[in-house]
Amino acid sequence: MEFIREYANWFYLIGAVLFILTLRGLSGPKTAIAGNRYGMVAMAIAVITTFFVADHPVVPMILGAMVLGAVVGIARARTVPMTQMPETVALMHSLVGLAAVLIAIAAILHNNQLIDLFANNEAALTTAGVEHAHMSKVHLFELFVGCFVGAITFTASVFAYGKLAAKKWAKTIKGGWVKPVQAIIFIAMLASGFVFFSTGNMQAFWAMTVLALAFGWVWIAPVGGGDMPVVVSLLNSFSGWAAAGIGFTLENNMLIVAGSLVGSSGAILSYIMCKAMNRSIINVLFGGIATAGAAGGAEAGEVKQRNYRSGSADDAGFLMSNADSVVIVPGYGMAQGRAQNAVKELANLLKEQGVTVRFAIHPVAGRMPGHMNVLLAEADVAYEDILEMDEINSDFPATDVVLVIGANDVVNPAAKDDPSSPIYGMPILEAHKARTIMVIKRSMATGYAGLDNDLFYNDKTMMIFGDAKKVVEDMTKAINGGGH
């Protein structure tokens, strides 16, 4: 396919433009489907073009890997429940990091093989069609960046997957020793990388790689569950930068562009999410809620004994059906209970009775960026009914009923009025300002960040205990007059 070889850069340019259109499309729910299609076409162009411009590709291995990857990917896409989407995304990030590490290792070993094969015989190099066996400083730096960023991304993403999936081996680590160990590993990793960059020493390269793998683990292990959405977003950015670094190694313009787009968009999203939490990225990754939650014994689900008011789904149905306006605040409890379709049915029923129903989304609700938006989109909730925090906060004081489904930290009033709270200053959905608040939870246990929520003890709040889907279905029956 000489045509593809000759116009490879043009094909890559088309792919790059389509990737940019992909990001533009994914910026809004109405254009997200088109954005995904642009991305699929761009990736197909990139893969096919690279396949034909590669020097001496090992076709059976490449095709075998592509088929195997497609089979695993399709099977996972068809079977993964929405509750497991955050850990699935984290696991995919880990594979990008692992690919970067393996490509860097392959490039180094290939180069060393050339040096051994044509030792002290530059003429033989020329005859073999190899320009040079000794890597330039620029090439060594590319490998250094691609490999250590990829290694950190791999182990950090594996741990994030384990934590999101509640695996026993992904335990949060804490103590005064954590930060010094992090610093020692990081400095040793950079020192090994500098030696490799300066001399091309293979022992230094292996040391850097192992230390980077270790650092990725100890770096993410202390981070609290409430900060996991930011971590997932940041690891997405890291996977992009790792891909871009390896793109330089492979001299593949498409990989450089795609990796840079993923890296920069992930970094911007991480910044936006940190801003929504009123915290810096350094505070999220090297301190913050994790320490406070652990100190309070929250991981064991300990809660102070305080008075609260509980009610039934019938009570909630009566209040909502007699309201003029209802705002639904979804959280991870809705995902865990797979209640999004039941919530959509409830919203439709209320609308039929003349009630104004809207959904309020916090930027860090759930376990990954956009988690609640994805769930509501799956249930075909109208885009115009879904409002972000900044759009709806001013409406809460005039709202008759707020229904909070499994959300905790994103509606915690302590962020506004308790300077001693670890989340003080974090922007929240101001559900506490509504006239009536109803909260669906399984129990009074703390949320993922390990913090008790003052909203649950508010005089205007009614707690409704049970599985989110079952409770919402019972509310719908009560409104329909079915009762129990």
Side-chain angles (χ1 to χ4, degrees):
M1 299 291 286
E2 290 300 322
F3 175 78
I4 294 180
R5 284 177 174 271
E6 184 177 353
Y7 293 98
N9 286 330
W10 286 101
F11 285 115
Y12 282 152
L13 179 60
I14 293 170
V17 172
L18 287 172
F19 276 132
I20 293 171
L21 292 175
T22 298
L23 290 179
R24 182 181 179 183
L26 293 175
S27 64
K30 292 183 179 180
T31 56
I33 294 176
N36 268 315
R37 288 172 179 165
Y38 287 137
M40 288 188 285
V41 173
M43 186 57 69
I45 292 173
V47 170
I48 293 171
T49 303
T50 302
F51 188 86
F52 285 103
V53 302
D55 291 328
H56 310 296
V58 184
V59 176
M61 289 187 66
I62 294 173
L63 291 179
M66 291 175 66
V67 170
L68 180 61
V71 169
V72 173
I74 292 171
R76 182 62 175 167
R78 288 183 175 276
T79 58
V80 60
M82 292 305 297
T83 50
Q84 295 179 15
M85 191 58 70
E87 53 260 46
T88 301
V89 171
L91 198 60
M92 287 191 290
H93 293 163
S94 75
L95 296 177
V96 178
L98 179 61
V101 174
L102 294 178
I103 291 172
I105 292 173
I108 291 278
L109 295 178
H110 177 67
N111 181 76
N112 290 345
Q113 187 180 38
L114 287 177
I115 293 175
D116 294 339
L117 189 61
F118 300 108
N120 302 318
N121 192 345
E122 293 296 328
L125 283 174
T126 305
T127 304
V130 180
E131 294 181 0
H132 51 79
H134 295 280
M135 292 184 178
S136 66
K137 292 295 184 184
V138 173
H139 203 47
L140 288 173
F141 183 73
E142 293 164 0
L143 288 171
F144 160 62
V145 172
C147 186
F148 95 78
V149 173
I152 291 173
T153 303
F154 173 60
T155 48
S157 298
V158 168
F159 186 88
Y161 158 76
K163 189 151 194 168
L164 291 165
K167 300 294 184 182
K168 292 182 179 180
W169 48 263
K171 294 295 184 183
T172 300
I173 60 175
K174 55 184 180 290
W177 60 271
V178 174
K179 286 183 174 61
V181 168
Q182 288 176 335
I184 291 170
I185 295 176
F186 185 73
I187 292 170
M189 177 190 72
L190 289 182
S192 300
F194 180 76
V195 173
F196 166 68
F197 169 68
S198 303
T199 65
N201 183 278
M202 278 303 294
Q203 283 71 29
F205 174 80
W206 294 122
M208 176 196 73
T209 304
V210 171
L211 288 167
L213 291 169
F215 179 75
W217 191 274
V218 300
W219 175 42
I220 296 300
V223 177
D227 292 330
M228 271 298 140
V230 180
V231 170
V232 171
S233 175
L234 192 67
L235 291 173
N236 174 54
S237 176
F238 270 42
S239 68
W241 296 126
I246 295 304
F248 283 104
T249 299
L250 299 176
E251 298 180 353
N252 187 300
N253 294 332
M254 186 74 262
L255 190 55
I256 295 170
V257 171
S260 298
L261 288 172
V262 173
S264 56
S265 61
I268 293 169
L269 179 59
S270 300
Y271 169 77
I272 292 172
M273 296 177 76
C274 286
K275 187 177 179 182
M277 298 168 68
N278 195 35
R279 295 170 55 208
S280 69
I281 192 69
I282 299 299
N283 179 262
V284 169
L285 297 175
F286 296 101
I289 290 178
T291 305
E299 290 187 2
E302 297 175 10
V303 192
K304 294 180 181 178
Q305 292 298 320
R306 300 165 64 182
N307 294 324
Y308 58 87
R309 184 165 61 98
S310 62
S312 67
D314 286 346
D315 299 330
F318 175 79
L319 289 171
M320 285 190 290
S321 62
N322 286 280
D324 290 325
S325 59
V326 171
V327 172
I328 299 174
V329 179
Y332 186 67
M334 186 180 78
Q336 195 173 39
R338 302 181 186 181
Q340 57 268 30
N341 290 306
V343 171
K344 165 72 181 306
E345 185 180 348
L346 172 65
N348 286 347
L349 180 60
L350 289 172
K351 285 182 179 181
E352 290 173 4
Q353 298 194 1
V355 181
T356 300
V357 181
R358 291 173 297 169
F359 293 81
I361 307 295
H362 192 281
V364 295
R367 296 292 187 270
M368 71 175 185
H371 195 183
M372 297 300 106
N373 302 76
V374 170
L375 291 173
L376 295 177
E378 183 193 30
D380 291 326
V381 173
Y383 301 136
E384 56 269 19
D385 293 340
I386 303 173
L387 301 177
E388 300 296 328
M389 176 178 65
D390 294 337
E391 298 175 296
I392 202 168
N393 258 352
S394 60
D395 294 346
F396 279 115
T399 300
D400 292 323
V401 176
V402 167
L403 176 62
V404 180
I405 307 177
N408 193 338
D409 309 301
V410 298
V411 291
N412 193 337
K416 291 284 185 182
D417 52 33
D418 183 4
S420 66
S421 173
I423 62 171
Y424 181 69
M426 167 183 166
I428 59 167
L429 289 165
E430 298 175 355
H432 60 282
K433 293 184 178 180
R435 292 164 186 156
T436 300
I437 306 140
M438 297 184 295
V439 180
I440 300 175
K441 277 178 65 71
R442 290 180 180 273
S443 69
M444 291 298 291
T446 58
Y448 205 40
L451 303 174
D452 202 6
N453 191 343
D454 293 339
L455 181 70
F456 303 158
Y457 311 100
N458 191 306
D459 292 338
K460 298 184 292 182
T461 300
M462 180 173 69
M463 303 297 298
I464 307 166
F465 299 110
D467 173 76
K469 183 178 180 180
K470 178 69 166 55
V471 171
V472 172
E473 288 175 344
D474 289 344
M475 290 178 179
T476 303
K477 290 178 183 177
I479 295 173
N480 270 325
H484 301 296

